[in-house]
Amino acid sequence: MARITAGVFTSHIPAVGAAIDLGKTAEPYWAPMFKGYEFSKQWIARAKPDVIFLVYNDHASAFSLDLIPTFAIGCADRFQPADEGWGPRKVPEVIGHPELAAHIAQSVILDEFDLTIVNRMDVDHGLTVPLSLMFGQPEAWPCRVIPFAVNVVQYPPPTGHRCFQLGRAIRKAIELFDEDLNVQVWGTGGMSHQLQGPRAGLINKAFDTAFFDRMLSDPEGLARMPHIDYVREAGSEGIELVMWLVGLGALKAAPRQVHRFYHVPGSNTAVGHLILENKK
Ligand code: DHB
Ligand code: FE
């Protein structure tokens, strides 16, 4: 059977993708940030996932403001990097896992989570930057990826609790898939940041630290945190953190922390990164 072995959580800043693509990772501004991912690259080379279920948000690249699914599962064979205004990133295409994606869609929808099934979409920095941070610059990504897009762009996004419960349904679905696959679930976006309005540039280290801590000590209570607390404390784009709760809900109780990293600033964002392993 397929099994979820670990969760990876990370910010997904577009300027980080540009720094990688333009060879700027050793520059003084960026070097301390990329240092926080050195362990992660070695860890994932050993962990060798077969499939990543990658929770991210589309930033009006694949979907326009004409059509905004709350939860969208990518069931295609392959996904191309999106053109976000400067041409598509020159990173490998993303190879999907249509059989597992269709199985998860069926299981989760019959468990009463109404997903949107997507058979064609491009994937933006929300998905490709985390892949670059974890795998560097390979010729091809070393595993399959199921893109799972969550609306956090236009109000109302789903609640943290809904995301956490959905994670549990995704875990059940993956564990019922009849193939021996090592699956990781990733949650991306965050941590505190605000890109617009009078509070642009907001960072809240105390909130971010408590968020990390509660992922381990109080996941259910954390999942109950209302939207207003994210927006007030972590900024308007801090709401991206609800996507981490999908990944957290997909893990078993009491996962083991293997890596935690926090760095301010990366572009306009507090860069946060956490790796949790399921106990065997
Ligand atoms: C930035 C961060 C994001 O999460 C994003 O989607 C776009 C920009 C930033 O820090 O610049
Ligand atoms: Fe974002």
Side-chain angles (χ1 to χ4, degrees):
M1 302 305 265
R3 65 203 182 282
I4 297 175
T5 52
V8 173
F9 306 88
T10 178
S11 306
H12 65 208
I13 302 158
V16 167
I20 295 169
D21 301 345
L22 301 173
K24 295 185 174 184
T25 57
E27 288 186 359
Y29 178 83
W30 288 114
M33 196 221 77
F34 284 105
K35 203 162 185 310
Y37 289 83
E38 274 170 23
F39 169 87
S40 313
K41 286 188 190 162
Q42 292 165 15
W43 172 85
I44 205 155
R46 292 191 304 271
K48 290 193 177 54
D50 298 308
V51 185
I52 295 165
F53 187 89
L54 203 157
V55 183
Y56 74 109
N57 68 292
D58 178 72
H59 301 73
S61 307
F63 310 126
S64 74
L65 294 180
D66 291 346
L67 187 149
I68 305 174
T70 300
F71 295 118
I73 184 162
C75 294
D77 287 334
R78 50 194 66 227
F79 305 87
Q80 304 307 321
D83 185 341
E84 302 184 52
W86 293 270
R89 291 188 66 209
K90 290 185 176 46
V91 292
E93 65 177 347
V94 171
I95 306 300
H97 198 308
E99 299 80 14
L100 178 57
H103 164 85
I104 294 170
Q106 172 172 320
S107 176
V108 166
I109 290 170
L110 294 182
D111 275 341
E112 303 180 347
F113 292 87
D114 305 319
L115 309 185
T116 298
I117 293 169
V118 184
N119 292 319
R120 193 174 75 192
M121 71 175 167
D122 293 345
V123 286
D124 73 10
H125 69 270
L127 183 134
T128 63
V129 166
L131 288 175
S132 299
L133 281 167
M134 294 299 294
F135 293 122
Q137 296 175 291
E139 287 283 306
W141 300 121
C143 62
R144 313 276 202 107
V145 178
I146 298 176
F148 190 85
V150 178
N151 168 42
V152 290
V153 169
Q154 178 163 313
Y155 193 82
T159 63
H161 183 250
R162 189 71 175 156
C163 290
F164 190 74
Q165 296 297 323
L166 172 62
R168 290 192 162 159
I170 289 165
R171 182 212 307 173
K172 175 180 147 191
I174 289 172
E175 288 177 347
L176 285 171
F177 189 67
D178 193 10
E179 196 183 321
D180 181 26
L181 292 175
N182 172 357
V183 182
Q184 292 183 357
V185 180
W186 292 14
T188 76
M191 294 184 101
S192 55
H193 63 305
Q194 172 144 347
L195 303 176
Q196 49 192 310
R199 296 202 308 162
L202 179 143
I203 301 277
N204 185 344
K205 184 174 181 186
F207 174 92
D208 294 336
T209 304
F211 195 93
F212 273 138
D213 290 345
R214 292 181 74 195
M215 285 179 74
L216 289 150
S217 66
D218 179 27
E220 311 237 350
L222 182 62
R224 290 285 181 189
M225 183 163 67
H227 282 149
I228 189 69
D229 290 9
Y230 286 89
V231 175
R232 190 198 298 116
E233 301 298 327
S236 49
E237 279 67 43
I239 193 68
E240 289 183 342
L241 282 168
V242 295
M243 297 186 288
W244 290 32
L245 297 179
V246 180
L248 189 62
L251 296 177
K252 290 185 203 155
R256 189 172 74 88
Q257 175 179 305
V258 294
H259 185 54
R260 171 166 160 173
F261 175 67
Y262 189 74
H263 175 81
V264 174
S267 188
N268 303 292
T269 300
V271 179
H273 173 40
L274 184 68
I275 300 177
L276 301 178
E277 278 180 358
N278 266 339
K279 293 196 180 116
K280 295 208 176 76

